[in-house]
């Protein structure tokens, strides 16, 4: 750690400071929960280039960056700047650097003329609260977030108050009580925040009202101004009294002008000019029109007065919460509706009046539903809420949004009439497309799927249920650079949705204020299978050209069990440890997609290759370079695509994104990947095996590493975080390793134990290839010292024998074909044939065998027994020539098998399958059992007892009571399913593979141990 020098300087960001910022964040992890993520200079440069900050202030101790404070326009609300991130390096805490940074941001806010500065923190950050409050921030009392607002800029930018601060130092003269708790002076439902100052010369106080974000009271030695209302909650369309009070404390008359500021929903008239010697009170009425329900995230509708005191101006403001006499919301349960079916609307009704009342709700007739009762009477006490259930019959699919005609009758007989248009429910049906509007959202629907656009800020979510909160959400796009958040706060020029043949599209239109003349149309199309397409059209309607215009589309996603294309592999991330986008090395992405097996169903996302994908902590955003836009030019960007359950797995999604009709999957590796160099997983027994341990998260590798080969410790090492590495290399000895060796690695980082497992195939000796004669039948034989395989094409075109240590595992009838069970002729053993071809037709063909050396994709040479077959007489497969390969390595109890087509005989292979059947017996049929992987219903099934058909999950194995070895059948990556059939005569395993010219290899493995599916999966990297 560095020792602090005598001078801390505050400097604005430039790229030369990026490396210092990265170091600061890496040394500040413990201040942010102990995150192990590592920041780099490159990441900082990219982040800051796309941040949209108005300014970024850095505290420097010499060349060391020790503090960070961003300043940007607040996206959640109008009229405020915002500190998105504030940090002081832990070894510089207590040096008043945080204050220096805050004051710099505050002064810049005042300089730019903004009335407010906001920031967020977390509830447990209590040590920072006194600093924030001393610097003018108020802690808002909310359950959903920890939000602080600073109104000092409004104080300094109010002409009436400016003379005060020639006598007062706003920071040092403050007499505000500092308490570590939310701030709140409550009165009539209003929440007030008050500044107070006093010194030997003067004193003053200024009060701000929370929801209107404005001054409601000013008191100095000379005067008092106050705006009051009886209640913060007001009834829409009902006249409300307000009072303006002015007190002149001087001995001279004061010229006073008060004028009403018309603001959106507030309708009133006021224009008074007075000369006040003592006190003046103005009482009047205001009516607030119907509109959207205010949000805690935004400034509420407010009453605003423009006041001049002796020509010095100020604004007084009170925010209110306009309500209807009753708050009415509707909900239904269920993802889909059925015509002529009885369903239930659950209606929540809450009395907003300050007195008891009886409410009458009148539902009009509708083409969508038939209500059992159309008129309902509900008595509610003051502030009471009731739930009523309304039965109805579904007549038509669509968005049921009745205009309710309502009356509220008070206890004194007075009546209020009002309408409600936001009791909306979706009646989904298969293939049905429609849109609708609820109180807080617009919605479009297509079959089971729906898209929700939040009115407050145009946040978009999508799902297959009625929930608007989903794990993935798109923010409204931003134009830049620097990027502007204007659209999240701006009222759209146009909102509509329309149906096309296969989709329904939601359209938003905006006109930019920050980029004069630029308009943008945002499109979201929803397809019935769960595909969502998002794109935009940008037009220059102005008179000036834009040479470097960009569009930023950001999203967040609470992912679970994610897959990302990284370094030309697909990296599988944990399904238990949470993954933020910022945990991924952005520059390592080698594909334009990712996939996540979310709790509510699989999610896929992809984006155009032409745009740049960027990562910023929990956000993922796409950057489109729009190029030169001359007046009149229009550019349409390519869509990004979201899949909500349309694709089952990452393999299907990758194939879709890459426009592959024939699915070619990338190799799958773990987020903490242990790989071996050379010809892995095949090694010679006298080798040293060099390995690499790599983390695909952004944190450095650290901790103690132990490697166990066949449960014996082979290597121990310590990786220090100070080495700053994400890849660790070393080697292990394979001396005395068994033919199938299982390697287990354990990395203990202090916070977790991470296990890795690998299978190594250790070769020894040689493979013998020869022929032998039995009853004038030539058999082709391969043996490697452990296993022996035999085939006799004139007997049957397949393997008829597989022996391990001279003990037979195949059930066969060699040297004669027989009738057995459901089969005639039956030869047993193992063979692969195309679909729709039976044994009679197979035997009418021609088959020969030979020995062939095969080199796999890792450079290992396998000795194979190849059986070449030509189909002669068959309506479908005549002319087909294909080869079955059965390959082994020296000394290893593993056999690989696959099929390759030489000539399809003019027959298309599309839509067909290769069917491999294996008949297994052991010493006797009744000795055998099948043990399934742990996630299936039963654990063990016994052969020869009854007729059963089982689906063999990955990791299942076959064993015999009289043998220690287990037989594992590892299907190829193109396998559709592996099943086994058993009765009292036979035990047959079937592997069904997609029909291609060359299948992916499958494997038969023998080992005494229980081997997990994840270890067996290592063999999938082998191809021929």
């Amino acid at each position: 750690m560095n020792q602090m020098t005598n001078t801390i300087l505050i400097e604005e960001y430039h790229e030369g400071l990026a490396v210092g910022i990265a170091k600061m964040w890496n040394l500040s992890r413990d201040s942010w929960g102990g995150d192990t993520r590592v920041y780099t200079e490159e990441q900082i440069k990219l982040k800051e280039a796309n941040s949209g900050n108005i300014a970024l202030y850095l505290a420097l101790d010499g060349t060391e960056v020790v503090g960070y404070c961003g300043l940007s326009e607040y996206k959640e609300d109008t009229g405020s700047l915002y500190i998105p991130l504030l940090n002081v390096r832990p070894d510089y805490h207590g040096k008043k650097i945080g204050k220096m940074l805050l004051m710099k941001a505050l002064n810049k806010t005042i300089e730019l003329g903004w009335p407010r500065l906001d920031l967020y923190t977390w509830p447990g950050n209590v040590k920072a609260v006194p600093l924030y409050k001393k610097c003018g921030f108020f802690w808002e009392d909310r359950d959903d977030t920890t939000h602080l607002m600073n109104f000092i800029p409004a104080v300094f930018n109010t002409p009436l108050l400016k003379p005060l601060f020639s006598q007062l130092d706003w920071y040092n003269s403050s007499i505000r009580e500092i308490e570590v708790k939310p701030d709140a002076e409550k009165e009539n439902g209003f929440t007030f925040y008050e500044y107070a100052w006093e010194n030997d010369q003067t004193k003053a106080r200024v009060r701000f009202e929370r929801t209107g974000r404005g001054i409601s009271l000013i008191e100095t030695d000379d005067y008092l101004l106050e705006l009051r209302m009886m209640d913060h909650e007001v009834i829409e369309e009902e006249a409300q009294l307000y009072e303006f009070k002015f007190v002149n404390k001087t001995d001279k008359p004061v010229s006073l002008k008060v004028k009403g500021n018309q603001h959106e929903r507030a309708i009133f008239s006021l224009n008074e000019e007075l000369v006040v010697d003592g006190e003046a009170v103005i009482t009047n009425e205001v009516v607030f029109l119907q509109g959207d329900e205010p949000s805690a995230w935004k400034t509420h509708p407010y009453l605003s007065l423009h006041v001049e005191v002796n020509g010095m101006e100020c604004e007084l403001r009170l925010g209110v919460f306009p309500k209807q006499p009753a708050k009415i919301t509707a909900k239904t349960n269920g993802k889909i509706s059925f015509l002529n079916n009885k369903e239930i609307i659950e209606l929540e009704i809450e009395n907003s009046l300050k007195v008891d009342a009886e409410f009458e709700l009148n539902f009009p007739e509708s083409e969508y539903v038939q209500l059992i009762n159309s008129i309902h009477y509900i008595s509610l006490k003051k502030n009471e809420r009731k739930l009523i259930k309304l039965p109805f019959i579904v007549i038509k699919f669509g968005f049921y949004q009745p205009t309710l005609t309502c009356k509220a009758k008070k206890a004194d007989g007075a009546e209020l009439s009002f309408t409600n248009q936001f009791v909306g429910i979706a009646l989904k049906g298969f293939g049905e497309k429609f849109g609708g509007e609820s109180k807080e959202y617009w919605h479009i629907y297509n079959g089971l799927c729906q898209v929700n656009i939040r009115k407050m800020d145009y946040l978009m979510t999508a799902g297959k249920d009625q929930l608007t909160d989903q794990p993935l959400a798109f923010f409204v796009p931003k134009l830049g650079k620097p990027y502007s958040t204007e659209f999240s706060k701006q009222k759209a020029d146009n909102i509509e949705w329309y149906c096309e043949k296969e989709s329904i599209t939601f359209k938003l239109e905006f006109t930019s204020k920050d980029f004069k003349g630029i308009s943008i149309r945002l499109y979201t199309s929803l397809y019935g299978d769960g595909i969502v397409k998002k794109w935009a059209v940008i037009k220059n309607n102005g008179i000036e050209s834009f040479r470097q215009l960009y569009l930023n589309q950001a999203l967040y996603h609470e992912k679970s069990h994610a897959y990302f294309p990284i370094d030309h592999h697909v990296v599988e991330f944990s399904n238990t440890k949470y993954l933020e986008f910022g945990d991924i090395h952005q520059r390592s992405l080698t594909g334009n997609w990712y996939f996540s097996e979310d709790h509510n169903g699989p999610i896929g996302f992809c984006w155009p290759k032409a745009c740049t994908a960027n990562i910023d902590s929990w956000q993922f955003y796409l950057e489109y370079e729009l190029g030169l836009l001359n007046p009149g030019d229009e550019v349409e960007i390519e869509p990004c695509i979201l899949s909500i359950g349309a694709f089952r797995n990452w393999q299907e999604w990758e194939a879709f994104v890459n426009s592959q009709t024939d699915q070619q999957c990338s190799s799958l590796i773990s987020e903490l990947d242990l790989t071996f160099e050379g010809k892995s997983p095949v090694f010679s027994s006298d080798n040293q095996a060099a390995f690499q341990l790599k983390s695909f998260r952004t944190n450095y590798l650290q901790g103690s590493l132990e490697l166990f080969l066949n449960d014996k410790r082979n290597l121990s090492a310590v990786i220090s975080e100070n080495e700053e590495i994400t890849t660790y290399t070393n080697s292990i000895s394979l001396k005395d390793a068994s033919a199938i060796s299982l390697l287990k690695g354990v990395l203990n980082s202090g916070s977790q134990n991470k296990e890795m497992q690998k299978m190594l195939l250790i070769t020894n000796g040689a493979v013998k290839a020869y022929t032998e004669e039995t009853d004038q039948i030539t058999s082709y034989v391969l043996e490697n010292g452990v296993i022996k395989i035999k085939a006799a094409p004139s007997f049957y075109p397949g393997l008829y024998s597989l022996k391990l240590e001279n003990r037979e595992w195949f059930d066969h009838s060699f040297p004669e074909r027989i009738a057995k069970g459901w089969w005639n002729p039956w030869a047993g053993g193992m063979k692969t044939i195309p679909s729709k071809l039976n044994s009679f037709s197979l035997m009418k063909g021609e088959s020969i065998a030979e020995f062939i050396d095969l080199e796999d994709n890792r450079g290992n040479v396998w000795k194979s027994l190849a059986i070449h077959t030509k189909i002669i007489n068959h309506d479908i497969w005549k002319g087909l020539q294909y080869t079955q390969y059965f390959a082994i390595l020296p000394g290893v109890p593993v056999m690989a098998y696959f099929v390759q087509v030489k000539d399809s005989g003019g027959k298309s292979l599309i839509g067909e399958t290769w069917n491999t059947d294996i008949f297994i017996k052991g010493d006797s049929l009744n000795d055998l059992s099948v043990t399934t992987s742990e996630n299936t219903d039963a654990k063990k099934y016994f052969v020869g007892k009854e007729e059963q058909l089982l689906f063999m999950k990955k990791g299942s194995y076959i064993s015999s009571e009289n043998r220690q070895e287990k037989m594992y059948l590892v299907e190829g990556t193109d396998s559709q399913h592996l099943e086994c059939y058993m009765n009292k005569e036979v035990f047959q395993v079937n592997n069904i593979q997609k029909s291609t010219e060359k299948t992916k290899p499958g494997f038969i493995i023998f080992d005494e141990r229980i081997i997990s599916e994840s270890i067996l999966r290592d063999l999938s990297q082998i191809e021929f």
Side-chain angles (χ1 to χ4, degrees):
M1 295 297 180
N2 287 69
Q3 295 297 316
M4 180 176 171
T5 62
N6 292 328
T7 304
I8 296 292
L9 297 178
I10 304 299
E11 186 173 330
E12 286 204 49
Y13 168 79
H14 57 80
E15 283 197 344
L17 296 171
V19 66
I21 297 173
K23 180 180 178 181
M24 178 207 68
W25 286 122
N26 292 333
L27 293 174
S28 301
R29 294 180 192 136
D30 289 344
S31 297
W32 299 88
D35 181 18
T36 58
R37 188 180 305 158
V38 177
Y39 292 90
T40 65
E41 178 185 6
E42 182 185 24
Q43 287 174 317
I44 297 300
K45 286 180 178 179
L46 184 65
K47 171 184 168 62
E48 301 307 339
N50 295 285
S51 67
N53 278 333
I54 294 170
L56 171 56
Y57 299 112
L58 302 170
L60 299 179
D61 182 9
T63 59
E64 293 283 308
V65 178
V66 298
Y68 178 107
C69 180
L71 182 65
S72 64
E73 188 174 338
Y74 188 36
K75 71 176 183 178
E76 304 292 353
D77 196 8
T78 57
S80 181
L81 294 187
Y82 167 60
I83 295 176
L85 209 50
L86 176 68
N87 180 67
V88 175
R89 221 170 75 178
D91 52 325
Y92 281 80
H93 285 184
K95 311 295 185 182
K96 301 188 182 301
I97 295 172
K99 176 187 173 184
M100 294 171 67
L101 291 166
L102 283 174
M103 297 297 275
K104 190 74 175 177
L106 189 58
N107 289 333
K108 186 67 173 181
T109 306
I110 295 169
E111 176 191 327
L112 295 174
W114 289 81
R116 198 174 88 241
L117 178 63
D118 287 25
L119 65 79
Y120 289 87
T121 187
W122 61 96
N125 190 21
V126 292
K127 68 179 182 180
V129 170
L131 168 65
Y132 294 148
K133 291 193 175 187
K134 287 177 183 177
C135 290
F137 287 90
F138 291 97
W139 182 353
E140 191 177 11
D141 189 6
R142 284 168 60 178
D143 292 335
D144 56 346
T145 189
T146 305
H147 178 223
L148 295 97
M149 296 184 285
N150 191 322
F151 299 100
I152 290 296
V155 172
F156 272 83
N157 288 320
T158 298
L160 182 62
L161 295 172
K162 283 184 178 180
L164 275 173
F165 296 99
S166 63
Q167 299 172 281
L168 288 169
D169 180 321
W170 76 265
Y171 185 88
N172 292 314
S173 299
S174 174
I175 58 171
R176 173 186 169 195
E177 185 178 0
I178 303 298
E179 297 181 277
V180 184
K181 65 177 184 179
D183 298 290
E185 295 180 28
K186 296 187 181 292
E187 182 182 331
N188 297 333
F190 292 95
T191 298
F192 297 104
Y193 305 128
E194 186 167 296
Y195 295 111
W197 303 276
E198 185 175 347
N199 62 17
D200 295 339
Q201 297 175 278
T202 188
K203 61 182 178 180
R205 64 188 180 109
V206 179
R207 177 184 287 176
F208 285 81
E209 191 276 320
R210 169 186 172 185
T211 60
R213 301 343 193 199
I215 299 171
S216 65
L217 178 148
I218 298 173
E219 185 174 13
T220 69
D221 291 338
D222 295 333
Y223 44 75
L224 168 71
L225 300 86
E226 184 177 15
L227 178 61
R228 297 171 54 88
M229 289 182 66
M230 292 299 296
D231 208 305
H232 181 247
E233 294 183 354
V234 298
I235 301 302
E236 295 173 341
E237 309 288 348
E238 187 176 62
Q240 310 290 330
L241 285 175
Y242 69 89
E243 177 186 282
F244 168 72
K245 180 179 180 181
F246 178 81
V247 178
N248 179 5
K249 299 182 181 181
T250 70
D251 55 2
K252 297 178 181 179
V254 170
S255 170
L256 180 69
K257 294 181 180 179
V258 187
K259 184 177 180 180
N261 291 324
Q262 299 296 328
H263 179 264
E264 294 182 0
R265 294 165 64 179
I267 305 299
F268 70 111
S269 178
L270 176 64
N271 193 354
E272 298 276 354
E273 294 189 23
L274 306 170
V275 175
V276 182
D277 288 315
E279 181 178 308
V281 177
I282 299 173
T283 303
N284 209 331
E285 290 185 340
V286 61
V287 172
F288 289 91
L289 301 178
Q290 287 189 24
D292 294 335
E293 184 174 291
S295 164
W297 297 88
K298 292 183 178 290
T299 302
H300 284 206
Y302 55 79
L303 171 67
S304 172
L305 304 183
H306 179 82
V307 181
E308 292 184 26
V309 179
N310 289 336
M312 302 292 285
E313 299 175 330
C314 73
E315 181 197 16
L316 296 186
R317 184 191 290 188
L318 278 178
V320 295
F321 196 117
K323 292 184 173 184
Q324 290 193 325
K327 181 179 179 179
I328 305 171
T329 56
K331 295 180 181 179
T332 57
N333 190 17
K335 293 183 179 180
I336 195 163
S337 296
F338 300 92
L339 294 181
N340 302 314
N341 206 44
K342 184 178 179 181
E343 297 187 18
I344 297 292
I345 299 175
E346 291 194 350
L347 208 63
E348 294 178 2
I349 308 169
E350 184 175 352
N351 184 2
S352 301
L353 302 173
K354 302 302 178 183
V355 296
D356 299 350
E358 183 176 7
F359 292 87
E360 176 187 315
L361 309 182
N362 197 323
F363 288 77
E365 289 188 5
S366 169
E367 62 179 317
Y368 297 104
V369 306
Q370 178 183 338
L371 290 168
I372 307 303
N373 295 307
S374 60
I375 301 178
H376 298 268
Y377 297 93
I378 307 100
S379 294
L380 294 171
K381 295 180 180 179
K382 174 184 174 181
N383 297 326
E384 185 183 10
R385 182 179 64 192
K386 285 185 178 179
L387 176 68
I388 61 173
K389 297 185 178 182
L390 309 180
F392 68 94
I393 305 296
V394 180
I395 301 174
K396 180 181 177 181
F397 298 117
F399 198 81
Y400 173 51
Q401 190 174 3
T403 300
L404 301 187
T405 304
C406 310
K407 290 182 180 179
K409 187 174 183 180
K410 301 179 183 179
D412 61 4
E415 288 190 357
L416 292 173
S417 296
F418 61 100
T419 59
N420 185 302
Q421 296 179 313
F422 297 113
V423 177
I425 59 171
L427 304 172
K428 296 182 183 181
F430 292 112
E432 299 291 334
K433 302 185 290 289
F434 55 90
E437 180 180 359
S438 61
K439 184 172 289 188
E440 298 178 351
Y441 289 86
W442 297 285
H443 311 270
I444 55 173
Y445 303 86
N446 195 338
L448 287 174
C449 304
Q450 70 182 68
V451 168
N452 317 291
I453 299 92
R454 191 164 67 186
K455 294 179 178 179
M456 179 179 76
D457 54 7
Y458 310 104
L459 185 84
M460 194 214 84
T461 61
K464 288 191 173 182
D465 51 31
Q466 301 278 16
L467 298 176
T468 52
D469 289 333
Q470 296 289 342
L472 186 147
F474 293 94
F475 297 98
V476 67
K478 297 181 285 189
L479 290 175
K481 297 177 180 179
Y483 286 116
S484 167
T485 60
E486 58 179 327
F487 299 141
S488 66
K489 299 171 287 188
Q490 188 175 317
K491 186 174 181 179
D493 299 337
N494 181 50
I495 298 165
E496 63 177 294
W497 55 82
Y498 54 89
C499 291
E500 296 175 298
K501 184 177 179 181
E502 297 175 343
S503 64
I504 180 170
T505 299
F506 187 88
K507 177 182 173 185
L508 278 169
E509 296 183 54
F510 294 96
T511 300
S512 175
K513 297 176 181 177
D514 292 341
F515 298 88
K516 301 296 183 185
I518 297 294
S519 65
I520 184 169
R521 304 193 299 274
L522 305 174
Y523 296 90
T524 303
S525 289
L526 173 64
Y527 295 78
D529 51 9
I531 291 293
V532 180
K533 289 185 178 180
K534 281 184 62 65
W535 76 99
V537 177
I538 300 92
K539 185 174 184 180
N540 185 355
N541 300 298
I543 58 174
E544 295 183 358
S545 297
F546 286 85
R547 299 193 178 278
Q548 284 188 310
L549 195 62
Y550 292 82
L551 183 137
N552 176 307
Q553 173 63 75
L555 63 96
Y556 74 82
H557 186 184
E558 296 174 354
K559 302 169 291 300
S560 174
H561 202 177
Y563 301 82
F564 279 82
I566 298 176
D567 292 345
H568 305 287
H569 301 280
V570 172
V571 177
E572 179 182 12
F573 288 88
S574 170
N575 61 355
T576 54
K577 185 177 181 181
Y578 184 70
L579 177 75
E580 275 195 349
F581 287 116
D583 292 324
I584 297 168
H585 295 279
Q586 174 182 316
R587 295 302 183 192
S588 297
L589 287 174
T590 49
N592 59 321
W593 62 273
Y594 74 84
F595 192 82
S596 177
E597 295 175 358
D598 286 4
H599 300 299
N600 292 334
I603 294 287
F605 180 64
C606 69
W607 54 92
K609 292 181 179 179
C611 74
T612 303
N614 293 316
I615 290 171
D616 183 7
S617 185
W618 52 273
Q619 286 191 71
F620 186 91
Y621 62 93
L622 307 176
E623 186 173 83
Y624 297 83
E625 186 173 355
L626 303 179
L628 175 65
L629 273 183
N630 290 317
D633 284 355
E634 183 175 270
V635 59
E636 179 174 331
I637 64 172
E638 291 184 67
C640 58
I641 300 176
L642 173 70
S643 164
I644 44 176
F647 294 85
R648 296 172 297 175
N649 51 52
W650 70 265
Q651 294 94 333
E652 292 182 355
W653 182 239
E654 181 188 37
F656 167 78
V657 174
N658 293 329
S659 302
Q660 294 175 341
T661 53
D662 184 18
Q663 185 173 311
Q664 298 291 326
C665 299
S666 300
S667 58
L668 182 68
I669 59 177
S670 171
E671 63 171 90
L672 184 63
D673 186 53
L674 182 65
T675 57
F676 284 85
E677 299 175 5
K679 299 181 179 181
S680 170
V682 180
F683 297 90
S684 174
S685 59
D686 57 357
N687 278 357
Q688 284 283 119
F691 70 87
Q692 172 181 281
L693 179 65
K694 182 176 177 63
S695 171
F696 286 94
R697 290 186 184 246
T698 52
N699 55 290
Y700 290 136
L701 285 173
Q702 62 166 332
S704 61
L705 174 66
E706 292 186 300
L707 295 185
F708 299 86
L709 189 63
N710 300 320
D711 296 328
K712 293 181 180 179
R713 182 182 283 105
N714 191 288
L715 180 143
S716 294
V718 175
I719 307 171
S720 171
E721 186 180 15
N722 295 330
E723 296 179 54
E724 297 187 353
I725 58 173
T726 56
T727 301
Y728 172 80
T729 58
N730 208 325
S731 63
I732 62 171
S733 171
L734 298 180
K735 186 179 179 181
D736 300 326
S738 57
I740 293 181
S741 287
L742 302 184
L743 182 79
K744 182 175 79 170
V746 180
L747 180 65
N748 185 343
S749 65
S751 63
Q752 62 174 316
N753 263 11
K754 179 71 176 179
E755 287 194 4
M756 303 144 284
Q757 295 181 311
K758 289 287 178 181
M759 176 186 290
L760 308 181
L761 306 181
I762 313 299
T763 61
N764 186 31
V767 177
K768 297 179 182 179
Y770 57 90
T771 60
E772 61 184 26
E773 298 292 325
T774 304
D775 295 341
Q776 298 183 336
I777 298 174
T778 301
S779 292
Y780 292 76
V781 184
L782 281 181
E783 60 175 305
N784 66 2
V786 184
I787 60 175
K788 180 190 291 186
I789 59 175
K790 294 182 180 182
S794 62
F795 163 65
Y796 201 68
L799 289 187
Y800 70 81
S801 174
L802 170 60
K803 291 183 178 181
L804 175 72
E805 303 291 357
N806 215 31
R807 301 183 74 176
E808 183 66 68
W809 276 85
F810 280 180
D811 188 8
H812 63 85
S813 63
F814 182 82
E816 295 184 0
R817 298 184 295 273
I818 62 173
K820 187 169 185 176
W822 306 108
W823 296 269
N824 186 17
W826 181 86
M830 176 180 181
K831 71 176 185 305
T832 301
I833 58 175
S835 54
K836 307 183 185 73
L837 182 74
N838 63 23
S839 297
F840 279 112
S841 297
L842 179 65
M843 292 305 302
K844 293 176 183 178
E846 299 173 353
S847 295
I848 59 173
E850 64 175 324
F851 301 115
I852 298 177
D853 286 345
L854 298 174
E855 184 174 315
D856 67 23
N857 57 333
R858 312 309 294 265
N860 301 295
V861 177
W862 300 59
K863 179 71 74 173
S864 78
L865 198 167
I867 302 175
H868 309 292
T869 299
K870 180 178 181 179
I871 306 302
I872 305 297
N873 296 315
H874 194 265
D875 291 341
I876 298 174
W877 291 108
K878 60 185 177 183
L880 171 68
Q881 298 181 53
Y882 72 99
T883 301
Q884 303 172 69
Y885 292 95
F886 305 94
I888 59 178
L889 292 164
V892 181
V894 173
M895 183 186 75
Y897 64 93
F898 66 97
V899 164
Q900 185 169 15
V901 174
K902 180 180 179 182
D903 186 345
S904 68
K907 172 79 173 73
S908 171
L909 300 179
I910 296 174
E912 307 294 342
T913 59
W914 288 108
N915 303 334
T916 300
D917 59 12
I918 308 170
F919 289 90
I920 302 170
K921 185 175 182 180
D923 292 337
S924 71
L925 199 63
N926 292 333
D927 291 342
L928 297 178
S929 62
V930 179
T931 302
T932 62
S933 54
E934 295 180 359
N935 59 346
T936 52
D937 297 333
K939 184 68 176 175
K940 200 167 189 177
Y941 297 87
F942 296 97
V943 179
K945 309 300 180 184
E946 62 175 342
E947 187 177 50
Q948 298 186 80
L949 179 64
L950 306 178
F951 295 102
M952 296 181 68
K953 304 296 183 182
K954 297 180 186 297
S956 301
Y957 59 84
I958 298 162
S959 57
S960 169
E961 289 182 4
N962 301 320
R963 303 181 186 186
Q964 293 182 329
E965 299 82 10
K966 301 170 178 60
M967 174 190 277
Y968 291 90
L969 298 167
V970 181
E971 64 268 46
T973 55
D974 58 355
S975 177
Q976 295 179 348
H977 65 271
L978 185 70
E979 63 185 24
C980 64
Y981 170 80
M982 62 186 75
N983 59 27
K984 293 185 178 182
E985 291 185 79
V986 297
F987 175 42
Q988 179 195 33
V989 175
N990 289 305
N991 181 19
I992 313 299
Q993 287 179 277
K994 183 179 179 180
S995 185
T996 56
E997 290 188 358
K998 181 191 283 187
T999 63
K1000 300 294 184 182
F1003 299 87
I1004 296 178
I1005 302 171
F1006 294 96
D1007 198 86
E1008 298 177 7
R1009 294 160 293 188
I1010 295 176
I1011 305 176
S1012 68
E1013 182 272 332
S1014 61
I1015 300 176
L1016 295 170
R1017 193 171 65 189
D1018 284 347
L1019 292 173
S1020 65
Q1021 63 187 290
I1022 297 175
E1023 294 187 13
F1024 294 94

